[in-house]
Amino acid sequence: MSRQVFLYDPPDRFVAGTVGLPGRRTFFLQATAGPRVTSVALEKTQVAALAERMEELLDEVVRRSGGSAPVPAVPPTDVADTAPLDTPVEEEFRVGTMALAWDGEEQRMIVEAQALVELEAESEEDLAEAEEKLLQDEENGPPMLRVRLTGAQARAFAKRALDVVNAGRPPCPLCSLPLDPEGHVCPRQNGYRRGA
């Protein structure tokens, strides 16, 4: 079976968003272009890591270009996107591997999110070999979302993604674990329930 690639070059919209209440949210990346909408599910930590690495890569591009790259220092207000995810949100796949790159010729950020794949191997060496083979297989690999963004779009994506991640449950001031509305059993309080 050939690989399915959801390509958005460029997208009309590329955002991170959630469905559900804090503590039970499902995180998505969603790309749209005209009537096409692709939504892929991922973990909160993956969204945070993607946004942080995107910011770092953009800062590095600006540094290496001596400020001549078309990358704003902060997200422009005209590309800010605070609208909810387009509905219905239909998950194409759950993300396993993500990659970021900067195309210097086109001056674009490339974001790739590849479907989670279960690999079976008898040893660590076999597992590493299977992973490498999977990543090199352009024709028969798992489904992939590939999005090409301008520097401004990438900055706006990263800001919104971090805002979405931080909009969850507040952390306990003692142990940093998330507080539920009814409180939580805090390990720093020796198991006593602490209110929100």
Side-chain angles (χ1 to χ4, degrees):
M1 174 170 27
S2 65
R3 167 179 274 189
Q4 186 175 16
V5 176
F6 301 93
L7 177 63
Y8 289 85
D9 183 14
D12 293 337
R13 182 177 192 227
F14 181 59
V15 295
T18 62
V19 173
L21 298 172
R24 294 178 181 33
R25 298 185 298 170
T26 302
F27 287 78
F28 290 93
L29 296 179
Q30 189 177 74
T32 60
R36 288 180 47 219
V37 178
T38 303
S39 302
V40 297
L42 67 169
E43 298 297 322
K44 177 181 181 177
T45 55
Q46 288 175 298
V47 174
L50 178 62
E52 290 166 3
R53 298 304 178 267
M54 191 176 280
E55 286 284 354
E56 290 171 7
L57 181 56
L58 291 170
D59 291 344
E60 182 66 15
V61 166
V62 170
R63 188 185 69 73
R64 286 189 181 190
S65 72
S68 65
V71 177
V74 295
T77 55
D78 62 327
V79 294
D81 185 345
T82 58
L85 295 174
D86 291 335
T87 56
V89 178
E90 296 175 1
E91 178 183 323
E92 295 291 341
F93 58 84
R94 180 157 287 279
V95 175
T97 305
M98 295 185 297
L100 281 178
W102 179 259
D103 180 346
E105 285 185 23
E106 298 289 325
Q107 300 293 303
R108 296 285 187 265
M109 170 80 66
I110 302 167
V111 181
E112 290 184 351
Q114 185 171 283
L116 181 64
V117 175
E118 297 291 328
L119 296 175
E120 293 182 23
E122 294 182 20
S123 71
E124 289 292 322
E125 289 175 2
D126 291 345
L127 182 60
E129 186 178 317
E131 286 175 346
E132 187 62 32
K133 204 180 280 187
L134 183 67
L135 291 173
Q136 299 301 324
D137 190 355
E138 281 296 317
E139 287 187 22
N140 300 310
M144 176 189 295
L145 171 65
R146 182 177 291 143
V147 182
R148 296 174 60 87
L149 304 168
T150 65
Q153 287 173 317
R155 285 277 190 216
F157 171 86
K159 181 185 181 328
R160 177 188 166 125
L162 290 173
D163 290 347
V164 166
V165 166
N166 294 328
R169 298 173 289 171
C172 171
L174 298 176
C175 68
S176 299
L177 292 174
L179 287 172
D180 291 320
E182 59 273 357
H184 83 118
V185 178
C186 181
R188 298 275 312 269
Q189 290 283 315
N190 206 17
Y192 289 100
R193 185 166 289 280
R194 179 173 176 81

